[in-house]
């Protein structure tokens, strides 16, 4: 296996080369044991955000099988419960899996469980969001750039209401390091350009909490004084928009989002949500699957990384940081449709036919 992967990858091109070459190691070590191959735990954080079970999980399992046809995936979803995910980590450690790919509900709280896995010689790959503790590798997107993309898009959509316009910030869960990065990136663009009338942190990224908070913002600020809404992901955008519509706000202020969920793309076509951020699941899952397989086989991760990231204890670990993409009604064809994330037919349901014609989706 080691002879099959380059020792170091410093570019995305090199990473994809390494992933392709990794497949040639499928016959090594564990694989020769006839079905007794490596076991990889995949721990997802919640069922609230659609991407985890509908996108990431099947893509991760597919990539792991492509690279290691005798690997077994042990899957669990924490349903937003930190204590449950800690139990799931303990279960994976007790089972003696060969590697764990972890999307932490709360990165800080999972640190001791990650340390426990390390003591059991089980490497942990932090996926999509950084976890505390001695992780072995990290795969995600540049979180600060996500926030910057959202902030720039919001300013553009607000037009002549900048500078001086007022916005509501619907941030993600503060226990999620990604949410912190998104917020920091957005504020680096928005500070000094707009007034932040209300800002909320949304525990567990709950759509219904965003709805409640937006209703509160409308009561406190008045609909006429809200010129834009920074929503950190599409679920929070959905909750914010539902509250705006319930309060008869028309026209709707521009609302940001993230994850390119199908429902969000339909809202964008309909003119209800201004933008989302696409983080192509395929490349992220390919990187996560490659790291998990390499870790489970006891391989070094430098050959499947494109760089490194500094963890909370000051150490650096191999990492793949991918580039997010801003998506609006004007570039749907060049982004999510070109990527094959969805088809025109999936987005343009009958009630959106006129709107789809208007934005050039025919």
């Amino acid at each position: 296996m080691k002879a099959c992967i380059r020792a170091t990858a410093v570019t995305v091109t090199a990473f994809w080369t390494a992933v392709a070459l990794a497949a040639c190691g499928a016959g090594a070590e564990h694989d020769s044991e006839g079905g007794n191959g490596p076991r990889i735990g995949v721990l997802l954080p919640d069922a609230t955000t659609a991407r985890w079970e509908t996108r990431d999980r099947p893509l991760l399992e597919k990539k792991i099988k492509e690279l290691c046809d005798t690997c077994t995936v042990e899957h669990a979803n924490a349903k937003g419960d930190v204590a449950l995910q800690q139990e799931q980590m303990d279960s994976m450690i007790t089972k003696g899996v060969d590697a764990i790919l972890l999307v932490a509900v709360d990165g800080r709280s999972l640190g001791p469980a990650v340390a426990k896995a390390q003591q059991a010689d089980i490497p942990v790959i932090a996926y999509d969001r950084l976890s505390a503790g001695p992780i072995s590798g990290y795969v995600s997107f540049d979180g600060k750039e996500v926030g910057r993309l959202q902030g720039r898009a919001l300013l553009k959509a607000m037009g002549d209401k900048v500078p001086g316009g007022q916005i509501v910030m619907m941030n993600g869960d503060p226990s999620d390091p990604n949410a912190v990065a998104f917020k920091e990136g957005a504020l680096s663009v928005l500070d000094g350009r707009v007034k932040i009338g209300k800002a909320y942190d949304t525990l567990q990224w709950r759509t219904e909490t965003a709805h409640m908070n937006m209703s509160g913002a409308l009561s406190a600020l008045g609909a006429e004084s809200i010129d834009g809404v920074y929503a950190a992901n599409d679920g929070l955008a959905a909750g914010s928009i539902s509250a705006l519509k319930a309060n008869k706000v028309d026209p709707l202020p521009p609302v940001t989002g993230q994850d390119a969920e199908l429902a969000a793309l339909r809202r964008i076509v309909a003119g209800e949500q201004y933008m989302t951020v696409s983080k192509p699941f395929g490349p992220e899952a390919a990187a996560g699957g490659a790291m998990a397989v390499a870790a489970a086989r006891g391989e070094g991760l430098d050959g499947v990384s494109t760089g490194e990231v500094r963890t909370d204890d000051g150490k650096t670990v191999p990492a793949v940081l991918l580039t997010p993409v801003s998506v609006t009604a004007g570039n749907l064809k060049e982004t999510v449709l070109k990527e094959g994330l969805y088809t025109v037919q999936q987005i343009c349901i009958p009630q959106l036919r006129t709107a789809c014609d208007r934005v050039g989706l025919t």
Side-chain angles (χ1 to χ4, degrees):
M1 176 71 177
K2 287 181 180 177
C4 192
I5 297 182
R6 293 175 57 188
T8 305
V10 294
T11 66
V12 173
T13 300
F15 162 69
W16 287 114
T17 301
V19 170
L21 290 174
C24 73
E29 296 184 25
H30 291 285
D31 296 1
S32 65
E33 298 174 16
N36 192 27
R39 291 179 297 162
I40 297 171
V42 174
L43 300 186
L44 301 179
D46 63 67
T48 303
T49 305
R51 59 169 290 189
W52 301 124
E53 294 292 346
T54 63
R55 294 287 177 178
D56 294 84
R57 179 186 172 188
L59 287 169
L60 283 165
E61 292 178 348
K62 179 181 179 182
K63 180 54 62 175
I64 288 169
K65 278 297 183 182
E66 284 178 359
L67 299 181
C68 176
D69 60 5
T70 60
C71 280
T72 301
V73 175
E74 303 268 355
H75 161 262
N77 190 305
K79 296 179 171 55
D81 188 328
V82 172
L84 177 57
Q85 191 166 63
Q86 290 169 331
E87 292 175 7
Q88 292 167 346
M89 283 285 288
D90 287 341
S91 176
M92 293 294 175
I93 294 168
T94 300
K95 289 178 180 179
V97 298
D98 297 284
I100 296 172
L101 187 142
L102 171 67
V103 189
V105 175
D106 181 337
R108 188 177 297 107
S109 297
L110 266 292
V114 173
K116 186 175 179 180
Q118 185 199 47
Q119 292 165 6
D121 293 324
I122 300 173
V124 176
I125 307 301
Y127 182 81
D128 198 74
R129 56 183 68 161
L130 202 58
S131 175
I135 60 171
S136 297
Y138 179 52
V139 175
S140 190
F141 286 80
D142 184 338
K144 291 182 182 178
E145 179 61 14
V146 169
R148 288 190 288 266
L149 288 175
Q150 294 169 320
R152 293 181 196 124
L154 187 58
L155 292 179
K156 181 178 180 180
M158 289 173 63
D160 60 7
K161 293 181 179 178
V162 177
Q166 182 167 245
I167 70 168
V168 173
M169 288 196 78
M170 206 66 66
N171 300 304
D173 191 326
S175 68
D176 178 352
N178 277 356
V180 176
F182 303 150
K183 181 178 178 180
E184 183 176 339
L187 287 175
S188 73
V189 174
L190 298 172
D191 272 347
R193 304 294 307 283
V194 295
K195 177 183 177 182
I196 299 172
K198 288 287 184 180
Y200 302 93
D201 291 330
T202 315
L203 296 180
Q204 298 183 10
W205 296 88
R206 292 190 177 278
T207 300
E208 59 269 28
T209 303
H211 179 105
M212 178 184 69
N213 287 339
M214 180 54 67
S215 296
L218 286 164
S219 296
L221 303 174
E224 69 285 349
S225 66
I226 297 176
D227 302 308
V229 179
Y230 169 82
N233 79 350
D234 291 335
L236 302 185
S240 299
I241 291 167
S242 68
L244 290 165
K245 292 170 71 175
N247 283 273
K248 312 298 183 184
V249 177
D250 185 25
L252 294 171
V255 181
T256 66
Q258 178 186 179
D259 290 332
E261 293 182 358
L262 180 56
L265 299 178
R266 290 172 178 167
R267 289 193 297 271
I268 288 172
V269 169
E272 296 178 345
Q273 181 172 328
Y274 178 69
M275 66 85 71
T276 186
V277 176
S278 174
K279 301 187 298 185
F281 304 117
E284 187 177 20
M291 269 203 183
V293 169
R297 286 176 166 160
E299 302 289 340
L301 300 183
D302 286 341
V304 291
S305 69
T306 61
E308 57 187 24
V309 69
R310 189 174 299 278
T311 61
D312 62 341
D313 59 1
K315 296 181 180 179
T316 56
V317 298
V320 175
L321 292 177
L322 301 160
T323 303
V325 178
S326 179
V327 178
T328 65
N331 69 353
L332 287 166
K333 286 184 177 179
E334 295 76 30
T335 54
V336 293
L337 292 175
K338 185 176 181 180
E339 294 161 9
L341 186 59
Y342 300 105
T343 65
V344 171
Q345 290 72 28
Q346 287 174 304
I347 297 172
C348 294
I349 53 179
Q351 54 267 47
L352 290 177
R353 180 58 55 193
T354 300
C356 282
D357 289 342
R358 185 173 60 248
V359 300
L361 294 187
T362 55

